[in-house]
Amino acid sequence: GEDVEQSLFLSVREGDSSVINCTYTDSSSTYLYWYKQEPGAGLQLLTYIFSNMDMKQDQRLTVLLNKKDKHLSLRIADTQTGDSAIYFCAEASGGYNKLIFGAGTRLAVHP
Amino acid sequence: GAVVSQHPSRVICKSGTSVKIECRSLDFQATTMFWYRQFPKQSLMLMATSNEGSKATYEQGVEKDKFLINHASLTLSTLTVTSAHPEDSSFYICSARVESAQGGYTFGSGTRLTVV
């Protein structure tokens, strides 16, 4: 079945870049997503990438997709304390294109 | 942009009672909605896919008689947790597919259910 995996925790210094990695299993996924969740809140779409793209950049966010290895990464440049949150990788899979989420990576930004 | 309004945001109920959670699409028609459950510090688990006018499709291990889903109109889907127990306490989030929205999905703000 579908499965999405990501590392659980990342700690970075303010101003450095953060790289969050994700692997997925469904090679037929059309879209892959990165969502941000702050404590007690819903999900905020950060960015997404279509499966025929290798890279997408949006301001401080860069998404890299290696379709051969089924590997997705999110790079946050100049990480700020406001970026501290949980980041979820997700793939759209199945007949209804349901979103399957990874376990989430908790990003902690320290001064 | 496409917005899904989810209510209530927080509910506390007694064991054995039922709780209804609503998700409304405010400025678009949602043919398909998804219901997720999230335990503390864990990921979102898809519970079911709700389609307007037809029966919901439940994921393996989700009790359809306990988690009743109704998608009677193109703008409203409801999740009713029947005979709630403390182990049903969780964060429930709905999502709708929106072809015109960036990325194609929009999420409700979630409902924190606490069963005492």
Side-chain angles (χ1 to χ4, degrees):
Chain A
E2 315 95 352
D3 192 24
V4 178
E5 293 190 357
Q6 46 183 132
S7 51
L8 296 182
F9 189 75
L10 177 66
S11 178
V12 299
R13 192 184 301 273
E14 192 173 10
D16 287 350
S17 291
S18 308
V19 179
I20 303 172
N21 294 299
C22 169
T23 57
Y24 61 97
T25 55
D26 188 352
S27 57
S28 66
S29 293
T30 50
Y31 285 94
L32 295 134
Y33 302 82
W34 284 103
Y35 285 89
K36 177 183 180 182
Q37 186 181 36
E38 297 186 27
L43 272 73
Q44 173 194 352
L45 176 65
L46 285 180
T47 187
Y48 65 99
I49 189 167
F50 190 49
S51 59
N52 68 353
M53 298 167 68
D54 298 323
M55 192 264 288
K56 180 178 179 181
Q57 186 166 3
D58 184 3
Q59 299 182 334
R60 292 192 297 125
L61 304 178
T62 303
V63 178
L64 295 178
L65 174 61
N66 181 328
K67 201 172 178 186
K68 174 175 167 288
D69 294 338
K70 298 191 188 72
H71 183 266
L72 183 74
S73 69
L74 173 69
R75 179 177 180 270
I76 304 172
D78 187 25
T79 313
Q80 302 298 308
T81 54
D83 294 324
S84 294
I86 301 176
Y87 291 80
F88 290 97
C89 166
E91 62 172 348
S93 183
Y96 291 112
N97 273 335
K98 55 191 179 184
L99 280 184
I100 304 299
F101 286 86
T105 299
R106 185 176 295 273
L107 174 65
V109 183
H110 55 88
Chain B
V3 174
V4 168
S5 174
Q6 182 172 347
H7 293 282
S9 57
R10 185 181 292 267
V11 58
I12 300 173
C13 71
K14 291 185 178 177
S15 257
T17 61
S18 295
V19 173
K20 182 185 282 189
I21 302 170
E22 290 189 352
C23 269
R24 290 182 185 275
S25 56
L26 295 188
D27 48 4
F28 68 100
Q29 293 182 329
T31 307
T32 303
M33 280 196 174
F34 305 92
W35 286 94
Y36 292 86
R37 181 175 182 176
Q38 185 181 31
F39 290 104
K41 298 185 180 179
Q42 292 190 28
S43 186
L44 279 77
M45 261 185 38
L46 180 65
M47 298 174 67
T49 302
S50 154
N51 292 287
E52 186 269 335
S54 63
K55 289 183 180 180
T57 303
Y58 289 81
E59 295 298 303
Q60 194 172 4
V62 178
E63 298 176 61
K64 60 181 180 183
D65 294 330
K66 180 164 188 62
F67 299 101
L68 300 179
I69 290 173
N70 185 290
H71 194 155
S73 78
L74 285 170
T75 59
L76 174 65
S77 177
T78 61
L79 167 68
T80 301
V81 183
T82 62
S83 186
H85 287 97
E87 57 265 31
D88 298 324
S89 298
S90 192
F91 192 58
Y92 294 87
I93 306 178
C94 65
S95 170
R97 287 206 62 204
V98 188
E99 296 301 331
S100 59
Q102 186 185 33
Y105 298 86
T106 187
F107 282 80
S109 53
T111 298
R112 170 78 56 198
L113 170 64
T114 304
V115 185
V116 297

